[in-house]
Amino acid sequence: MAKVEPPSGTRDFVGDEVRRRKLAFDRVSTIFEHHGFQPLTTPVFERLEVFAGKLGEEASSLIFKILKRGVHEATGEADLALRYDHTVPAVRAVVTHGSRLSLPFKRYVIDNVWRADRAARGRFREFVQCDIDIFGSASPLADAEIVWAINSGLEALGVKQFVFQLNSRLALAGLLEAYGIPDELGTRVLGSLDKLDKAAPEVVVAELAERGLTTTIAESLVADVIAPDSERVREQLGTTERGRAGLAEVDRLLALTEELPAGRVRFTPRMVRGLDYYTGPIWEVSAAGYPGSIASGGRYDELVAKLGGPDMPACGGSIGLERILAIQEAEAPTEQGLDVALTVLGAEREIVSLAGQLRARGLRTAVYLGSSGKLAKQMKWANEQRARWVLLYGPDEQERGTVTVRDMESGEQSQVTFADVAANLAEGMASKP
């Protein structure tokens, strides 16, 4: 028999799971619109060459490739890829539609991406990414605009006590230069430093020694980048041209975001963003109660040109909605139930009419659709639906022209005229805490 569960690394969403996700997406979209970003969506798959050489070695290995089709299927070759992220496709779209866009162009997207990763708890092959980007501006104000918008988005999602860990690719290059680390070791050294949030300093020192650094340099480098203050790193960066330029980028962005809550944006010398396309300021967001980073971004001034477009500056950021929603889902209250459950004890035409009146008043209303006419069975159904109120319109009520309203929280019952019940319940819902 065919397996009926969703493919490994994917999920089905039901009921309140869908509602909570939609609410989160709507809140963040509203924030981005208020910051002047426009929606931009791209196809779920792109030409494979669009991603080639843009993501770094590790990320490139996770691209979901699509084999050639039809008469070319037997070749076993791939020519398309499912959307790995939103940044590269957005750059491709800017190159495609450049003449139609007014620069600088600010865009946002909340949509699915796919990774050919090993599925595990909390790690999915299909998930939602939430991105914003600004194309065509080299101004540090653009970087600040991204940080401010991401900050507002996280606040709208109810995230508290979060910090932007800020660094610069230029600063990292200057750091390597200041410590006398040759260019051929640079990528591997930065990869080791990027592990400092998860690995003990001595483990990273040992790895750096294995990668060619002397123990003395490795120990000094690690000690400096994890120090509570950044003074030693700042001194080292001041000894090289690239270091000074990178430090200037960091300090400009710190100045432009200083009105955010104190300590919200911090220079973090050990922070390294793994994607190869970043060229300037880079950052990640950590938050109390949330594992790993929940947002990230930076400047990528060369990516548009790499995709065949003009030499255009760009920067962007992304909120890890899936990580945030996973934590909030675990802490979520009881799922939302119906506002009104309508039993069916005859008078079906009147019940259909009443359901329409209730829905027109904005109440989530369902009619019993089972085959049993027994009230006990229908009340069991209403309870399973977690209904706020249950309405009974049996022969006695029909004769009197009233409806019995049962409050499922208190157990109390009241009689309301048929003509007034929709308005009465809508008023009760409006006054509900």
Side-chain angles (χ1 to χ4, degrees):
M1 295 180 62
K3 293 184 178 181
V4 296
E5 65 269 17
S8 176
T10 64
R11 297 160 290 173
D12 296 321
F13 298 103
V14 181
D16 270 17
E17 294 174 316
V18 178
R19 295 187 189 100
R20 278 192 284 267
R21 291 171 70 84
K22 183 179 183 301
L23 178 61
F25 300 164
D26 289 346
R27 285 177 175 172
V28 177
S29 296
T30 298
I31 291 294
F32 292 162
E33 292 275 358
H34 288 173
H35 281 261
F37 291 85
Q38 298 184 46
L40 170 68
T41 61
T42 61
V44 301
F45 54 85
E46 296 276 353
R47 292 183 177 86
L48 182 57
E49 63 197 63
V50 168
F51 290 108
K54 314 300 189 308
L55 301 171
E57 183 177 347
E58 181 179 355
S60 294
S61 68
L62 301 181
I63 294 175
F64 253 120
K65 299 176 182 178
I66 302 175
L67 298 181
K68 290 184 176 180
R69 299 143 303 283
V71 296
H72 302 290
E73 184 176 357
T75 66
E77 298 176 352
D79 61 342
L80 300 175
L82 287 178
R83 191 170 55 207
Y84 176 90
D85 71 359
H86 290 304
T87 302
V88 174
V91 172
R92 193 270 309 149
V94 168
V95 173
T96 302
H97 304 289
S99 61
R100 295 171 48 193
L101 303 177
S102 175
L103 297 177
F105 176 63
K106 301 169 65 176
R107 75 100 196 202
Y108 76 91
V109 63
I110 302 176
D111 210 341
N112 285 6
V113 296
W114 290 265
R115 305 279 170 89
D117 203 353
R118 175 179 292 181
R121 182 177 178 84
R123 180 186 297 168
F124 303 102
R125 293 174 171 176
E126 179 187 45
F127 56 95
V128 168
Q129 273 193 343
C130 167
D131 283 18
I132 55 174
D133 297 275
I134 300 176
F135 298 98
S137 175
S139 170
L141 289 172
D143 301 276
E145 184 83 345
I146 295 289
V147 170
W148 276 92
I150 294 293
N151 178 83
S152 297
L154 292 172
E155 290 180 339
L157 290 169
V159 181
K160 299 178 175 61
Q161 299 179 358
F162 58 91
V163 175
F164 287 79
Q165 298 178 355
L166 172 65
N167 206 349
S168 161
R169 276 296 170 89
L170 275 175
L172 288 169
L175 190 68
L176 297 175
E177 189 177 347
Y179 283 85
I181 299 170
D183 291 342
E184 59 268 23
L185 296 180
T187 299
R188 287 180 291 172
V189 168
L190 294 179
S192 295
L193 293 181
D194 203 28
K195 299 177 182 179
L196 282 168
D197 279 335
K198 299 178 181 178
E202 57 270 20
V203 173
V204 175
V205 167
E207 183 173 289
L208 289 171
E210 291 177 1
R211 292 184 166 180
L213 298 191
T214 67
T215 301
T216 300
I217 291 178
E219 289 177 342
S220 177
L221 176 61
V222 170
D224 289 346
V225 298
I226 66 173
D229 62 65
S230 59
E231 290 309 309
R232 176 60 180 163
V233 169
R234 285 178 172 274
E235 290 177 7
Q236 293 286 5
L237 291 175
T239 65
T240 73
E241 183 177 348
R242 286 190 294 183
R244 290 189 293 272
L247 193 56
E249 288 183 336
V250 168
D251 287 339
R252 280 197 301 269
L253 194 47
L254 287 172
L256 291 171
T257 56
E258 64 181 0
E259 291 192 15
L260 290 173
R264 179 60 52 86
V265 184
R266 300 174 186 170
F267 177 33
T268 309
R270 70 178 183 276
M271 202 280 294
V272 180
R273 293 286 294 133
L275 296 179
D276 285 352
Y277 52 64
Y278 287 112
T279 59
I282 52 176
W283 47 266
E284 290 184 347
V285 177
S286 59
Y290 295 85
S293 66
I294 59 169
S296 59
R299 178 163 285 278
Y300 49 94
D301 285 343
E302 299 172 1
L303 191 54
V304 176
K306 284 183 178 179
L307 280 172
D311 185 10
M312 181 185 295
C315 59
S318 176
I319 294 177
L321 275 175
E322 296 285 11
R323 288 189 176 184
I324 295 170
L325 290 173
I327 297 297
Q328 295 180 346
E329 179 78 17
E331 301 172 350
T334 303
E335 290 189 3
Q336 179 182 356
L338 290 173
D339 296 326
V340 183
L342 278 169
T343 59
V344 179
L345 303 169
E348 294 180 354
R349 289 182 60 184
E350 287 86 347
I351 291 297
V352 170
S353 174
L354 182 55
Q357 295 175 43
L358 291 162
R359 290 165 183 158
R361 296 272 186 172
L363 298 173
R364 297 181 63 246
T365 303
V367 176
Y368 177 71
L369 302 177
S371 57
S372 175
K374 295 181 178 179
L375 180 58
K377 185 79 171 180
Q378 298 194 41
M379 291 301 296
K380 181 176 182 293
W381 161 78
N383 193 55
E384 290 172 348
Q385 299 300 311
R386 298 180 301 280
R388 175 71 171 83
W389 291 290
V390 177
L391 303 191
L392 293 82
Y393 190 59
D396 291 342
E397 286 88 359
Q398 294 164 30
E399 184 176 341
R400 294 193 302 265
T402 63
V403 177
T404 299
V405 179
R406 178 175 294 182
D407 188 318
M408 296 297 280
E409 292 183 359
S410 66
E412 296 179 354
Q413 291 190 171
S414 59
Q415 298 293 316
V416 183
T417 62
F418 187 95
D420 295 332
V421 67
N424 184 285
L425 294 184
E427 183 178 342
M429 183 59 68
S431 64
K432 182 181 177 182

